[in-house]
Amino acid sequence: MRILVVNVNTTESVTAAIEASARAVAAPGTEIVGLTPTFGAESVEGNVESYLAAVGVMDRVLAYREPFDAVIQAGYGEHGREGLQELLEVPVVDITEAAAATAMYLGHRYSVVTTLDRTVPLIADRLLLAGLDRRCASVRASGLAVLELEEDPDRAVAAVVEQAEAAVRDDHAEVICLGCGGMAGLDDAVREATGVPVVDGVAAAVTVTESLVRLGLRTSKVRTYASPRRKHITGWPLGGSRS
Amino acid sequence: MRILVVNVNTTESVTAAIEASARAVAAPGTEIVGLTPTFGAESVEGNVESYLAAVGVMDRVLAYREPFDAVIQAGYGEHGREGLQELLEVPVVDITEAAAATAMYLGHRYSVVTTLDRTVPLIADRLLLAGLDRRCASVRASGLAVLELEEDPDRAVAAVVEQAEAAVRDDHAEVICLGCGGMAGLDDAVREATGVPVVDGVAAAVTVTESLVRLGLRTSKVRTYASPRRKHITGWPLGGSRS
Amino acid sequence: MRILVVNVNTTESVTAAIEASARAVAAPGTEIVGLTPTFGAESVEGNVESYLAAVGVMDRVLAYREPFDAVIQAGYGEHGREGLQELLEVPVVDITEAAAATAMYLGHRYSVVTTLDRTVPLIADRLLLAGLDRRCASVRASGLAVLELEEDPDRAVAAVVEQAEAAVRDDHAEVICLGCGGMAGLDDAVREATGVPVVDGVAAAVTVTESLVRLGLRTSKVRTYASPRRKHITGWPLGGSRS
Amino acid sequence: MRILVVNVNTTESVTAAIEASARAVAAPGTEIVGLTPTFGAESVEGNVESYLAAVGVMDRVLAYREPFDAVIQAGYGEHGREGLQELLEVPVVDITEAAAATAMYLGHRYSVVTTLDRTVPLIADRLLLAGLDRRCASVRASGLAVLELEEDPDRAVAAVVEQAEAAVRDDHAEVICLGCGGMAGLDDAVREATGVPVVDGVAAAVTVTESLVRLGLRTSKVRTYASPRRKHITGWPLGGSRS
Amino acid sequence: MRILVVNVNTTESVTAAIEASARAVAAPGTEIVGLTPTFGAESVEGNVESYLAAVGVMDRVLAYREPFDAVIQAGYGEHGREGLQELLEVPVVDITEAAAATAMYLGHRYSVVTTLDRTVPLIADRLLLAGLDRRCASVRASGLAVLELEEDPDRAVAAVVEQAEAAVRDDHAEVICLGCGGMAGLDDAVREATGVPVVDGVAAAVTVTESLVRLGLRTSKVRTYASPRRKHITGWPLGGSRS
Amino acid sequence: MRILVVNVNTTESVTAAIEASARAVAAPGTEIVGLTPTFGAESVEGNVESYLAAVGVMDRVLAYREPFDAVIQAGYGEHGREGLQELLEVPVVDITEAAAATAMYLGHRYSVVTTLDRTVPLIADRLLLAGLDRRCASVRASGLAVLELEEDPDRAVAAVVEQAEAAVRDDHAEVICLGCGGMAGLDDAVREATGVPVVDGVAAAVTVTESLVRLGLRTSKVRTYASPRRKHITGWPLGGSRS
């Protein structure tokens, strides 16, 4: 099966890292295709950038010309998954939700450790909408920006571990979700420091997506995610108008 | 004061109707400026179109070159208000929320009567996120599409009145919110049929917005709606790249 | 239009201060009439006094012989708004709710800073009933009694600022509501100290009320706030029996 | 022990009926003293009357000169219990809450069948505040006014049974609470018709109250129900000023 | 009346202590019969032991050959009450729920102080299921195991008092529930230290149970707690197979 | 990898059917081992049987002597998953939760169609505890007992389809979960009738479990699911005492 893993930002190196993470856990026979939006922010850390990502991701997926079996939206707390579900019949999985749902199999409560404080409410809101919030003990910010994670891995480990430890100690989290696509490599360090299971969203999403495809499950089309009605849309696809 | 009232779809006649509604209730001295996104759907009835509207509205507001005091996003259940709040310091008001908050002053529970069934979950989700859901008795669909409201006003009245009556009778609503910018003219008919107060979102949003401006209140910039960080954004503003 | 602003306590100087606050933000053409109950506590800081205020406010409004267009109940966390809504057809606005609903347009979460710790549960309960609680980050007590606010303004500023800063820092509030009619003058100091928008309930309520009147909206009479049934009431109005 | 059972309306025959209900279940050694407020409505069916009852009940209890061990407020959905808790150290029990808490020992969900539709939101709000709402399947109105229950017992039985049956069948209630002090005699008929346990609030409150007294438990005085602060209260007690 | 008070663990001395607690508050004419399961853990401090207790308690009650009027399950946070309700028509009361419901009559919020940290989620889950969670300020662990409470009473007092004080000071609890059957003797010490009412679950459950019996109330049999269907059960009762 | 799939009842043919369902979706290399408890009910349709199943399943798993990588508890709405999580370090997945979490990837709201009405509250309670309830539109009963599903497949299809259609039409479900291990074969019929995705719990659980194992995730041992403390347990394992 072929799974599109779409980055929410326009930084190719992040796409490459996400793609590598996804491949590392993919089953034999699963082809992972990383995609980068053709417009949008180099990193997504707020609502403007997130809404732009929602459209950029849809635009990028629509421009993809080969057949595929599912889509993973590889942004933590970003908008857009619902739009993809309308556009497609194949399963669409958001890593924020895949991580949370996975964590809930492993402990009574989970916490998310993310990047900047300003992204905390976005993640909290997405979990609320997804109905996955009640067992969320906390969403904590490491204080590092998305692109800083790549630039200074040691500092990233230290900052994320510090918040993960606080989540376990003070918020009674029993599982930690790494709240940024760019944190994939940190799971071992966090698990060792805290002694609790650590869920990486991209990895979780790959196995969830493979499962949905294997079970022959597709997005429900009866109401919320019915295909868009036929109508005039000015300037869309946006990317298409540029190519 | 000058208030930008931004339509979420690209149909100029809808913008004109919204603008007229807004002017009808604006205080002396309030200038209403209707804006239409330069890209997006002719009507917004689902997630794809809503996300596109979120970006289209931000794009259109950024392209506006004159000073202004506040922005109203005139879409019922659409995404995007949070993005505008990040971009601007002046107040930003979504008509979905203004209508709900206004209705809550008038009765114990309110219902929303909207267009198509597929938009019901979008409105419900926005009310949930806004924390205005607990006193919402129901969101009901009239079955009419956005543009059908204009085309056949009599049928629109009948369909909306039918659902409003059901909301009062079966869901114990005590106030009705008209759940679409294009329903502005229907309030008298619905009030007469049901005997309960009817809130039009555009009208409510105009007075809410004027109030915020008069009180000197502005969007909080400490966390969720802090200005976007300085970073590279490819192809943005989108509208700008086309002009 | 004429708006009655009813104090919940019997201290005339507090009524005068509230009236002045209200006038300072009222639109041209709005007449503010401050009213003081003829019985009840000199300050309201608990349930006994709050219930007494509920009745005292209704009693006072019923004794008012001129026409009026709306009523503001100027107590933070007090009972009684529902009773006024039954008695009247014109809009009735409680400052607790007007402040919260206004704050919700400005930030993701808001906190209330009030007077004594014992009034915190009353405010929390009123927000719960009003369905405005989910985005409330905290209700915090400054430790100052209502009448101490007037007596020692410097201490009042210091105490309220301290709690407002804690709400922003520890509870992630992005907006502060001043949780007492008597705190009206403190908004500048709190805003300067915290950098977040500060909402004064009386000011917010004036603009909300003017908006409802301008929009021709009245209290729904179909169920919860239907006019009281005709029946024998012993000793009512209470104030009337004394005059 | 002596328990004051305070009616919320001023109709002596209702007080007598409540008193008889209470005595019928009281333990040997429990003295039941029925009290009627000296002011207020002949029946309480809305917010105005309920707030008046809150004050009337406090006033009447304060005027009682003998020692007592606990107070039952015998109104379904009325305000006021919190005020009594401030004024007294002995336990105060509201029949709305005693009925609900008792019903929760007997089935998975309970419904309340009350008098007029307009009192439904009052009861729902009191259950919400009491934190006893989640297992409430519904609050249903029989359509009979409080005083009609006495006047036409056969019609009362039929109307209450009809709603109780609907609650069991449609709302999945497993227990019925009789939602009015004046419904005490109806429990057998409702139980026979529905086959589910029926809880009368007055009876439940008597045994709850006796239990609290026997266990030596008293109202907590640390915060919400601390004694009122010493201050000037004009015209209070209200009843006292008339006697 | 005869009430069976069933211990959830197999330690006879704990049964004896619970029985003594129950007798100390039972009304004249109430016979308390303490029962110990014939299989299960010597103390219950987790899910395995709790599920085993659920079955052990049912098994023990079924093996009791004399008539009885009600059953109290004397474990804090353990499973099983629903099963007993299916098996019996007489009332079944869990001390976790009796304590919480009793505490809610006495203050705005209550906290539970229990034994080990690992039992906190069990208690929280039981309160959630019972619909008694919203007014629960916190569940706190003293750090002492069930059997340590007996072994070192002084240390038990100190540890429980410390957490109770923290609950009042930091979590705004106004009432403390002693969250373990084995804490019965500690109520005076905790009340003296904190100044708030202290509820012992066994004592509360005895008076609740007596009340239900006196009122003639029995478990509802229409749905959730209908008698088990007639079917083949292998190896049940379990205890019976061993005797 | 080897996954134990444990039936909750003692009917071997049901175990065989579940095992076949699981094998049908298992990945190459996954060995499915079906286990049947040695004691308990032939079908589980209530709390007594469910608690017995909880212990029977733990008992059976403990008696299994070969290594294994994960456990699936194949009962819909039954107790026990938490106990297995304490006993084991490998992942434990309950089909009720796997189905719900899977359905949430496919539509805005899901419904469960189960067997008898009496099992509805058990399922609802398990979803509440799991934090997967908010997007559950309804739990509906087909009226067929567990063993009737096998006996009369045509009637089973008709009864389940009828409720599934009602869930989509009246409750706005967009996905249907088959709420009984014995309904596995019905998914095609229900999907065809309703046009929405249908999730079978056993199938969903197999892929979830394989995913957890592949990702190297194990149950968190820091608090709720820490291994049981070393202590004396009388008569345990129960099954062991019989072999």
Side-chain angles (χ1 to χ4, degrees), chain A residues 73-115:
Chain A
Q73 177 163 327
Y76 221 95
E78 268 76 50
H79 294 92
R81 184 255 306 150
E82 305 95 324
L84 289 170
Q85 286 180 295
E86 275 183 18
L87 290 172
L88 306 172
E89 302 217 345
V90 298
V92 177
V93 173
D94 177 292
I95 66 169
T96 321
E97 299 168 18
T102 298
M104 286 160 66
Y105 292 115
L106 304 173
H108 196 259
R109 302 175 84 197
Y110 70 93
S111 284
V112 179
V113 180
T114 186
T115 54

Coordinates of all heavy atoms in Angstrom, one line a residue, chain A residues 73-115:
Chain A
Q73 N -1.5 13.3 8.0 CA -1.1 14.7 8.2 C -0.1 14.8 9.3 O -0.5 14.6 10.5 CB -2.3 15.6 8.4 CG -1.9 17.0 8.6 CD -3.0 18.0 8.4 OE1 -4.0 17.8 7.6 NE2 -3.0 19.1 9.2
A74 N 1.1 15.1 9.0 CA 2.2 15.0 10.0 C 2.5 16.3 10.7 O 3.6 16.8 10.8 CB 3.4 14.5 9.3
G75 N 1.4 16.9 11.3 CA 1.6 18.1 12.1 C 0.9 17.9 13.4 O -0.2 17.3 13.5
Y76 N 1.5 18.5 14.5 CA 1.0 18.3 15.8 C 0.1 19.5 16.2 O 0.6 20.5 16.5 CB 2.1 18.0 16.8 CG 1.7 17.0 17.8 CD1 2.1 15.6 17.6 CD2 0.9 17.3 18.9 CE1 1.7 14.6 18.5 CE2 0.5 16.3 19.8 CZ 0.9 15.0 19.5 OH 0.5 14.0 20.4
G77 N -1.2 19.3 16.2 CA -2.1 20.4 16.6 C -2.5 21.3 15.4 O -3.2 22.2 15.7
E78 N -2.2 20.9 14.2 CA -2.6 21.7 13.1 C -4.0 21.4 12.6 O -4.6 20.3 12.8 CB -1.6 21.5 11.9 CG -0.5 22.5 12.0 CD 0.6 22.1 13.0 OE1 1.0 20.9 13.0 OE2 0.9 22.9 13.9
H79 N -4.6 22.4 11.9 CA -5.9 22.3 11.3 C -5.7 21.4 10.0 O -4.6 21.3 9.5 CB -6.4 23.6 10.9 CG -6.7 24.5 12.1 ND1 -5.8 25.4 12.6 CD2 -7.8 24.6 12.8 CE1 -6.4 26.0 13.6 NE2 -7.6 25.6 13.8
G80 N -6.9 21.0 9.5 CA -6.9 20.5 8.1 C -7.3 19.1 7.9 O -7.8 18.7 6.8
R81 N -7.2 18.2 8.9 CA -7.6 16.8 8.7 C -9.0 16.6 8.1 O -9.3 15.8 7.3 CB -7.4 16.0 10.0 CG -7.6 14.6 9.9 CD -9.0 14.2 10.6 NE -9.1 14.6 11.9 CZ -10.3 14.9 12.5 NH1 -11.4 14.8 11.7 NH2 -10.4 15.4 13.7
E82 N -9.9 17.4 8.6 CA -11.3 17.3 8.2 C -11.5 17.6 6.7 O -12.3 17.0 6.0 CB -12.2 18.3 9.0 CG -12.2 18.1 10.5 CD -11.2 19.1 11.1 OE1 -10.1 19.4 10.5 OE2 -11.5 19.6 12.2
G83 N -10.7 18.5 6.2 CA -10.8 18.9 4.8 C -10.3 17.7 3.9 O -11.0 17.4 2.9
L84 N -9.2 17.2 4.3 CA -8.7 16.0 3.6 C -9.8 14.9 3.6 O -9.9 14.2 2.6 CB -7.4 15.5 4.2 CG -6.2 16.3 4.0 CD1 -5.0 15.8 4.8 CD2 -5.7 16.3 2.5
Q85 N -10.4 14.7 4.7 CA -11.4 13.6 4.8 C -12.6 13.9 3.8 O -13.2 13.0 3.3 CB -11.9 13.5 6.2 CG -10.9 12.8 7.1 CD -11.4 12.7 8.5 OE1 -11.6 13.7 9.2 NE2 -11.5 11.5 9.0
E86 N -12.9 15.1 3.6 CA -13.9 15.4 2.6 C -13.5 15.2 1.2 O -14.2 14.7 0.4 CB -14.3 16.9 2.7 CG -15.3 17.3 3.7 CD -15.7 18.7 3.7 OE1 -15.4 19.4 2.6 OE2 -16.3 19.2 4.6
L87 N -12.2 15.5 0.9 CA -11.7 15.4 -0.4 C -11.5 13.9 -0.8 O -11.5 13.6 -2.0 CB -10.4 16.1 -0.6 CG -10.5 17.7 -0.5 CD1 -9.1 18.3 -0.5 CD2 -11.2 18.2 -1.7
L88 N -11.2 13.1 0.1 CA -10.8 11.7 -0.2 C -11.7 10.7 0.4 O -12.5 11.0 1.3 CB -9.4 11.5 0.5 CG -8.3 12.5 0.1 CD1 -7.1 12.3 0.9 CD2 -7.9 12.4 -1.4
E89 N -11.6 9.5 -0.2 CA -12.4 8.4 0.4 C -11.4 7.5 1.3 O -11.9 6.8 2.2 CB -13.0 7.5 -0.7 CG -14.0 8.4 -1.5 CD -15.2 7.6 -1.9 OE1 -15.3 6.4 -1.8 OE2 -16.2 8.3 -2.4
V90 N -10.2 7.5 0.9 CA -9.2 6.7 1.7 C -9.0 7.3 3.1 O -9.3 8.5 3.3 CB -7.8 6.7 1.0 CG1 -8.0 6.0 -0.4 CG2 -7.2 8.0 0.8
P91 N -8.5 6.6 4.0 CA -8.4 7.1 5.4 C -7.4 8.2 5.5 O -6.4 8.3 4.8 CB -7.8 5.9 6.2 CG -8.2 4.7 5.4 CD -8.2 5.1 4.0
V92 N -7.7 9.1 6.4 CA -6.8 10.3 6.7 C -6.6 10.3 8.2 O -7.5 10.2 9.0 CB -7.5 11.6 6.3 CG1 -6.6 12.8 6.7 CG2 -7.9 11.6 4.8
V93 N -5.3 10.3 8.6 CA -5.0 10.2 10.0 C -4.1 11.4 10.4 O -3.1 11.7 9.7 CB -4.3 8.9 10.3 CG1 -3.8 8.9 11.8 CG2 -5.3 7.7 10.1
D94 N -4.4 12.1 11.4 CA -3.7 13.2 12.0 C -2.8 12.6 13.1 O -3.2 11.9 13.9 CB -4.6 14.2 12.5 CG -4.0 15.4 13.2 OD1 -3.3 15.2 14.2 OD2 -4.1 16.5 12.6
I95 N -1.5 13.0 13.1 CA -0.6 12.4 14.1 C -1.0 12.8 15.5 O -0.7 12.1 16.5 CB 0.9 12.7 13.8 CG1 1.2 14.2 13.9 CG2 1.3 12.2 12.4 CD1 2.7 14.5 13.9
T96 N -1.6 14.0 15.7 CA -2.0 14.4 17.1 C -3.0 13.4 17.6 O -2.9 13.0 18.8 CB -2.7 15.8 17.0 OG1 -2.1 16.6 16.0 CG2 -2.8 16.4 18.3
E97 N -3.9 13.0 16.8 CA -4.9 12.1 17.3 C -4.4 10.7 17.4 O -4.8 9.9 18.3 CB -6.1 12.2 16.3 CG -6.7 13.6 16.4 CD -7.7 13.9 15.3 OE1 -8.3 12.9 14.7 OE2 -8.0 15.0 15.0
A98 N -3.6 10.3 16.4 CA -3.1 8.9 16.5 C -2.2 8.7 17.7 O -2.2 7.7 18.4 CB -2.2 8.6 15.2
A99 N -1.4 9.8 18.0 CA -0.6 9.7 19.2 C -1.4 9.5 20.5 O -1.2 8.7 21.4 CB 0.3 10.9 19.3
A100 N -2.4 10.4 20.6 CA -3.3 10.4 21.8 C -4.0 9.0 21.9 O -4.1 8.4 23.0 CB -4.3 11.5 21.8
A101 N -4.6 8.6 20.8 CA -5.4 7.4 20.9 C -4.5 6.2 21.2 O -4.9 5.3 22.0 CB -6.1 7.1 19.6
T102 N -3.3 6.2 20.7 CA -2.3 5.2 21.0 C -1.9 5.2 22.5 O -1.8 4.2 23.2 CB -1.1 5.3 20.1 OG1 -1.5 5.1 18.8 CG2 0.0 4.3 20.4
A103 N -1.6 6.4 23.0 CA -1.2 6.6 24.4 C -2.3 6.0 25.3 O -2.0 5.5 26.4 CB -0.9 8.0 24.7
M104 N -3.5 6.2 24.9 CA -4.6 5.8 25.8 C -4.7 4.3 26.0 O -5.4 3.8 26.9 CB -5.9 6.4 25.3 CG -6.0 7.9 25.6 SD -7.2 8.8 24.6 CE -8.8 8.1 25.2
Y105 N -4.1 3.5 25.1 CA -4.0 2.1 25.3 C -2.9 1.7 26.4 O -2.9 0.5 26.8 CB -3.6 1.3 24.0 CG -4.7 1.4 23.0 CD1 -4.5 2.0 21.8 CD2 -5.9 0.8 23.2 CE1 -5.4 2.1 20.8 CE2 -6.9 0.8 22.2 CZ -6.7 1.5 21.0 OH -7.6 1.5 20.0
L106 N -2.1 2.6 26.7 CA -0.9 2.3 27.5 C -0.9 2.8 29.0 O -0.1 2.3 29.8 CB 0.4 2.8 26.8 CG 0.5 2.4 25.3 CD1 1.7 3.2 24.7 CD2 0.7 0.9 25.2
G107 N -1.7 3.7 29.3 CA -1.7 4.3 30.6 C -3.0 5.0 30.9 O -3.8 5.2 30.0
H108 N -3.2 5.4 32.1 CA -4.5 6.0 32.5 C -4.6 7.4 32.0 O -5.7 7.8 31.6 CB -4.6 6.0 34.1 CG -5.9 6.2 34.6 ND1 -6.3 7.4 35.1 CD2 -7.0 5.4 34.8 CE1 -7.6 7.3 35.6 NE2 -8.0 6.1 35.4
R109 N -3.5 8.1 32.0 CA -3.5 9.5 31.5 C -2.2 9.7 30.7 O -1.2 9.1 31.0 CB -3.6 10.5 32.6 CG -4.8 10.3 33.5 CD -4.8 11.3 34.7 NE -5.4 12.6 34.3 CZ -5.2 13.7 35.0 NH1 -4.5 13.6 36.2 NH2 -5.7 14.8 34.7
Y110 N -2.3 10.6 29.8 CA -1.1 10.9 29.0 C -0.9 12.4 29.0 O -1.8 13.2 29.2 CB -1.2 10.4 27.5 CG -2.3 11.1 26.7 CD1 -1.9 12.2 25.9 CD2 -3.6 10.8 26.8 CE1 -2.8 12.9 25.2 CE2 -4.6 11.5 26.1 CZ -4.2 12.6 25.3 OH -5.1 13.3 24.6
S111 N 0.4 12.8 28.7 CA 0.7 14.2 28.5 C 1.4 14.4 27.1 O 2.0 13.4 26.6 CB 1.6 14.8 29.6 OG 0.9 15.0 30.8
V112 N 1.2 15.6 26.6 CA 1.9 15.9 25.4 C 3.0 16.9 25.7 O 2.8 17.8 26.5 CB 0.9 16.5 24.4 CG1 1.6 16.9 23.1 CG2 -0.2 15.6 24.1
V113 N 4.2 16.7 25.2 CA 5.3 17.7 25.3 C 5.5 18.2 23.9 O 5.9 17.5 23.0 CB 6.6 17.1 25.9 CG1 7.6 18.2 26.1 CG2 6.3 16.5 27.3
T114 N 5.3 19.5 23.8 CA 5.4 20.1 22.5 C 6.5 21.2 22.4 O 7.4 21.2 23.3 CB 4.1 20.7 22.0 OG1 4.2 21.2 20.7 CG2 3.6 21.8 22.9
T115 N 6.5 22.1 21.5 CA 7.5 23.0 21.3 C 7.3 24.3 22.1 O 7.7 24.4 23.2 CB 7.6 23.3 19.7 OG1 6.3 23.7 19.3 CG2 8.1 22.1 19.0

